[in-house]
Amino acid sequence: MGNINRIVNVQISLNTAGVSTLGFSTMLIVGPHTHSLNRVDTYTDASDMLADGFTATDALYLFAVDAFSQTPRPSQVKIGRKLVSSTDVTVKEVKTGGVYTVTVKTKDASGNVTSTPYSFTNSGGGGEAAILAGIKAVIDADEGAVIAATVASTTMTLAATQTGTSFEIVVSANLSNAVKTSTESIANTMAAITAEDNDWYGWTMTSRDQDEILDAAEWTEAHTKIFGTSVNEAGAIDASVATDTLSKLQEANYYRTFAYYHAKAATESPESAVMARCFSILPGGETWANKKLSSVTADGLTETQFNAVKGKNGNTFEKFRNIAITQRGTVAAGEWIDIIRFRDWLQEEITLNVFNALVNNDKIPYIDAGIAVIENQVRAALKLGQRRGGIAPDEYDEDGNTNLGYTVEVPLAANISSNQKASRILQDVKFTARLAGAIHVVKINGSLTYENLIQA
């Protein structure tokens, strides 16, 4: 029997390839912990962190709670791990005959996980120090142990035997585990995190140390990310002080870092809360000012204190009558946070639109029709930005003249040199767009009169 393909041969190609987009609504919280070997773990609920060994007092858990408590809430929050230098194990319950176990997990370069349990049975009915000494003896007996144990009073400190070793600690229910130190630099932490998972846009961290905050801001400035932090320094609300963290961030003119003054910054994270709240809105449709936050305590600042924070391009969360809302919404350099996020999104959208056009067409000819293909991709991104609320719509003045939301300019093929065409690089594609902005403050002037108000 003859093959019908001899008569009619149909071939259908798939010009549907798409490059992955950055997660402009995904946030990351970074801090030291030993509850995972991954550099990044994703959670859809803060309670899942408790199941993984975090405690209700861990800073990472508290910051995640602040994020998940918002309405609307994020669908997920990513937790980034800062390498731990040492961790403290204590006894929660002393029981004769009780079995106390510390399990150490490590992962090799191929991803293979090794799990080593160290158990001690309290047969003699000893107290906390005796139990910890018993666990230490078991660890000491293991010549291949990747951790070393030291006991001081009722605390056992576990540290890697070799600098830079990642380890996960799982303890039995009668023990507790709390991070003691982390000496890994911010640059190394973020390099390891982004190498494993770079699909996130905004991040915060549990550290309130000024040097680490400044290092985090410096790292962020060189990447398409935004970073948020909070401080409770007295100098932050004193206009005469120039050595506080807010002043240092402003001095460095950081466009990708925003900071809050918050009296309870040690245990609360307004930056995580506001990021989660605003990331629930697509870029261009939000402002970071006047936002109500759940799970965060409002600060009672005087106008003098607020003006000090404002003068340093900082942000606050304050109570106005019976409602607490965020104030300002700016990065350290003074620009609005929403503008930075929208700019980054628009750049990514145009990039991907043009990239997909190039890879999903067999050829885009260097003629007016081909240039129009590129122009249409730019226009599509700008139009979407207009629908999202970041770019102003077309408007009209009192004389009926159109004030365009955006314009796009592309060169005519006839005006492009042969040498430029030979390079196969299209240049001089330009656009101008009017930002829609946002209203944060309203000032109204009115008057009361006894006179008749007659409308002609």
Side-chain angles (χ1 to χ4, degrees), residues 89 91 100-102 118-120 130-140 149 156 158 175:
V89 175
V91 178
Y100 298 82
T101 303
V102 173
Y118 299 99
S119 295
F120 170 75
I131 293 170
L132 296 176
I135 300 173
K136 170 179 162 50
V138 178
I139 295 174
D140 291 345
M156 178 173 66
L158 303 176
L175 297 172

Side-chain angles (χ1 to χ4, degrees), residues 371-438:
I371 295 172
V373 171
I374 303 302
E375 178 185 2
N376 288 337
Q377 299 307 313
V378 176
R379 288 186 178 277
L382 294 170
K383 188 172 183 179
L384 179 57
Q386 201 172 50
R387 291 202 303 269
R388 295 271 177 88
I391 297 175
D394 292 350
E395 296 173 315
Y396 304 90
D397 64 18
E398 57 187 9
D399 295 324
N401 299 312
T402 303
N403 187 12
L404 296 174
Y406 61 84
T407 61
V408 181
E409 297 178 32
V410 296
L412 293 173
N415 295 334
I416 300 174
S417 69
S418 298
N419 186 58
Q420 184 61 43
K421 288 180 180 178
S423 73
R424 300 199 172 190
I425 299 174
L426 177 62
Q427 296 179 338
D428 298 320
V429 177
K430 304 174 183 178
F431 75 86
T432 302
R434 278 192 306 118
L435 290 168

